[in-house]
DNA sequence: AATGAATGAGTCTTCATTCAT
DNA sequence: CATGAATGAAGACTCATTCAT
């Protein structure tokens, strides 16, 4: 009976290696051979599990992205106040980036180099997120928690703000205090910087 | 004094062609030969003016980026109120993107595929912008126009908001009313969305 | 005595599968894995019975070719007249192709793609056939059935004629009446087309 | 003024090299790099002139084949008697093979390994030749030079005979006397081997 | 200054073959 | 005997760059 195995299955090893290599080098500068070496498998083995480099990237992107969105949705379910939920979104996003910088560098960057197909898919994901936030804001307006603002623009502002701070953590390496930064962002978004 | 020439000089033609090709295909999928053809020069001629494809991209990026920042700085000089200047920044940014979508797609996208050197340079440019905004916000705080917020975070929020809306224009093709969108963004940033 | 087995032995199953795959795709485009799948065995099993893809092809070619030649020889034994034997050769050849188009596509096509060794072996087989025919023609000349022609050339002409018509059946799919076509070929060979 | 050049143009050099390599190794065992080396050009240069290895082979095959058929047609034009023309066909075919064994090994062998497209094209060429011969035979029958035989079968017999002897020259290396062999073949075809 | 034919280092990808189970 | 996951040598093809004209 095999309970646990010190050597995880090959497919996972390849995906993990791919995360490391893609996040450091980007898609075009990553070499399939390097991913294979990093995963301690032969070059051909990569192709046993993924039909091409592009497919490997796509699968990686999709699984990471889906996992992120799923966990986000779950954690929001228990909260009532719109403000709390916005705060949770920011907190989870920044925490995710801190803990999974490699993955973050992959799924939160723009990918204009990868052909229309993936590009469209990524933008559709962005639209999904914008819709989630829009709906949240509309709910807030209905409930009287928020002012009657243009929710499409406000959603873009909110998402942009979060991504901007997140990028600074992921790419510039800023090591910020999570709780405080979260509070700061949400406070600005809710109260504004004006006097 | 430079007298206008019906046949713009070769270097400019190459840069213009490069803008078109890079913005449509991205750096890695752009072919030097295609840029040369587009510029109506021979492939070798490109190398008379730029030592490599990467150098061409860098020069292109730098000149576009500098021109943008310079015009931005000029236009801000005449304004006194911090709020007016923030509004101007947003307006000019969105207008620039609308009018120069090609260039915008180049200088406002992330470039993680281009190796450390250029990557660092681009992030340093981002830091410049963040500093400009930070300073502006600090000035606002000193003058009593703004609340005493964390200016580093607030600058990131502001920049993120602007870039986010700009991206939607540049990449998704949203055709938004400039003045209204500008007002909406700045209002949210100053007053917040909260009640 | 071999008792019929509902599950024929593995080696035969592999050979049968190889006939199907090689005849449809040719040697280079045939995949060992496809042959294994077709034979309902594992990829490694093929190598239990044949040391390499080339060896598999060789064994296949040899067994099919030998079986064909053996049956041909047997069927000729009972005939006395040279003309009858020539007619039998043509008839059996065309019938074989009609009934075993797959095998025919393998053993009656040229194989210049397979390296010197196999190439030589195949040409030696051709020489065998030419010799059988030559001897037959010489016998016919001795017996006074045939004119004194150059038997080497005549054998090549006869073999070429038969192969040519056979190819049309095997590769182009011509569905010809066996008896009539056989008669036509032999008549031309014996009487010529001249008046 | 450039009258002649000891170094023929690159495209021709590649084609010549391709003839040598393809005829010795066959399509699949030929290496693009080997062709390039043989042509004294870089590997990439081959791709400046031919979009792929397959395209190179196709162009080579087509040009050689067309040139052969064209010269054949021209040489036949001046002859009246059907017998003379059949003889000419045989003679030219064997002579061509003797003088251009490399090309012959390419254009007169079967190519079942090269995918449907080329395969079909080659069979259509074979049909062309069969039709030319058929028409010739029909003319002979009308003129009373020949017996009323099945011209489709007779054409296949004739073509098969010629190809068979030609193959022996091209692949087995038989060095036959051209005139005599030609006469022998045609005589068998016209008079038959029977008494 | 301008050119574009020539180049070859660098990559992805295939697939026959092996071997631990 | 049987297997199929793993392998890596081998090869087609790309494209930034050079240089003779």
């Amino acid at each position: 009976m095999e309970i646990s195995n010190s050597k995880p299955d090959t497919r996972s090893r390849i995906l993990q290696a791919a995360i490391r290599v893609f996040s450091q080098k980007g898609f075009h500068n990553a070499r399939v051979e390097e991913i294979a070496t990093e995963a301690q498998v032969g070059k051909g083995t990569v192709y046993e599990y993924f039909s091409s480099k592009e497919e490997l990237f796509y699968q990686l992107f999709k699984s990471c992205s889906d996992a992120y969105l799923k966990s986000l949705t779950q954690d929001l379910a228990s909260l009532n106040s719109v403000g709390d939920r916005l705060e949770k979104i920011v907190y989870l996003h920044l925490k995710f980036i801190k803990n999974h910088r490699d993955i973050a560098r992959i799924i939160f960057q723009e990918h204009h180099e990868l052909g229309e197909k993936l590009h469209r898919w990524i933008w559709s994901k962005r639209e999904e997120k914008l819709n989630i936030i829009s709906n949240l804001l509309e709910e807030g307006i209905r409930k009287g928690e928020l002012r009657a603002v243009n929710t499409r623009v406000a959603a873009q502002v909110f998402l942009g703000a979060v991504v901007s701070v997140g990028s600074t953590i992921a790419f510039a390496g800023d090591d910020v205090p999570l709780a405080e930064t979260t509070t700061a962002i949400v406070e600005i978004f809710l109260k504004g910087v004006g006097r």
Side-chain angles (χ1 to χ4, degrees), chain A:
Chain A
M1 192 176 72
E2 200 170 335
I3 291 178
S4 92
N5 196 327
S6 62
K7 175 197 169 202
D9 72 296
T10 310
R11 190 172 190 279
S12 301
R13 287 222 313 287
I14 294 170
L15 280 171
Q16 290 305 316
I19 288 173
R20 287 194 292 276
V21 176
F22 279 139
S23 79
Q24 279 161 37
K25 314 241 172 153
F27 179 78
H28 278 101
N29 293 319
R31 304 290 151 229
V32 173
E33 183 150 31
E34 190 177 356
I35 293 171
T37 305
E38 182 91 355
Q40 291 178 299
V41 299
K43 204 190 322 181
T45 307
V46 174
Y47 288 89
E48 291 284 323
Y49 293 88
F50 304 95
S51 61
S52 70
K53 184 186 174 186
E54 199 150 13
E55 177 69 13
L56 168 58
F57 185 88
Y58 176 73
Q59 292 293 341
L60 178 61
F61 191 100
K62 200 161 136 45
S63 74
C64 289
S65 183
D66 285 352
Y68 167 73
L69 278 178
K70 194 180 162 194
S71 82
L72 191 67
T73 313
Q74 284 178 340
D75 287 334
L76 288 182
S78 58
L79 297 170
N80 262 320
S81 147
V82 167
D84 289 352
R85 274 183 276 173
L86 289 174
E87 182 148 2
K88 192 81 176 183
I89 290 174
V90 179
Y91 181 77
L92 290 174
H93 186 87
L94 300 188
K95 193 176 115 189
F96 180 85
I97 288 172
K98 258 197 138 167
N99 294 341
H100 306 285
R101 189 170 294 185
D102 280 352
I103 296 179
R105 288 169 68 115
I106 292 175
I107 69 177
F108 297 130
Q109 84 176 258
E110 299 163 9
H111 290 288
H112 310 288
E113 298 263 315
L114 269 78
E116 281 301 287
K117 190 192 150 196
L118 187 52
H119 194 208
R120 276 186 215 289
W121 192 82
I122 291 173
W123 273 92
S124 76
K125 285 286 159 187
R126 192 185 129 101
E127 283 296 330
E128 271 183 40
K129 289 184 220 159
L130 284 176
N131 282 333
I132 292 173
I133 298 168
S134 280
N135 292 337
L136 205 54
L137 297 176
E138 269 162 30
E139 186 186 329
I141 295 170
R142 274 201 311 279
K143 286 184 176 171
E145 280 188 59
L146 307 180
R147 295 194 293 122
V149 294
N150 179 332
T151 52
R152 167 97 184 150
V153 171
Q156 286 178 38
V157 166
F158 180 74
L159 188 61
V162 180
V163 167
S164 175
V165 177
S167 290
T168 322
I169 299 172
F171 294 105
D174 271 28
D175 191 13
V176 299
L178 239 50
E180 291 169 40
T181 309
T182 300
T183 308
I185 294 172
V186 175
E187 210 207 72
I188 292 171
F189 186 65
L190 290 177
K191 301 188 185 165
V193 301
R195 179 165 292 274

